[in-house]
Structures are given as structure tokens and as C-alpha cells.
Amino acid sequence: MLIEEDTTVSMVMERVGIDNLSYFSRIFKKALGESPSEFIAKRGNRIRMS
């Protein structure tokens, strides 16, 4: 979902039913080996963090 254009971390969190950014970041990093910000930085500015 995060690689879709104009998708934000908040939108992904809402879609998966998580409302705590700290928790989301923790499980995201555990699953993918990098934080949401690192994931976004590696893929350019097509993705917004808000």
C-alpha cells in the first residue's frame, strides 16, 4: 500500500486497523527490516509520511 501514489502512512494505518504510530512503526520494521521513513526514503518522494 505504501508504494501506491498519494498513499500516506496514516492511510495505511487506518486500512490495517492500527491507530498508534509507534506501534505501527515497530511492527513495520519487524516485518520489513526498515522503518516506514526508511522505506519511504528509499523509494523517493512519491509517498508521504503524514
Side-chain angles (χ1 to χ4, degrees):
M1 280 186 259
L2 266 182
I3 57 174
E4 295 173 12
E5 195 166 331
D6 293 331
T7 299
T8 66
V9 171
S10 297
M11 290 167 70
V12 174
M13 288 173 51
E14 184 179 321
R15 288 181 190 172
V16 298
I18 297 174
D19 61 0
N20 182 297
L21 180 58
S22 177
Y23 175 70
F24 178 79
S25 295
R26 206 168 43 246
I27 62 169
F28 188 98
K29 186 167 187 166
K30 187 174 183 179
L32 297 177
E34 59 190 0
S35 70
S37 351
E38 293 167 331
F39 181 91
I40 290 166
K42 287 180 180 178
R43 285 145 186 90
N45 60 3
R46 291 181 1 184
I47 306 161
R48 296 183 315 232
M49 189 64 183
S50 33

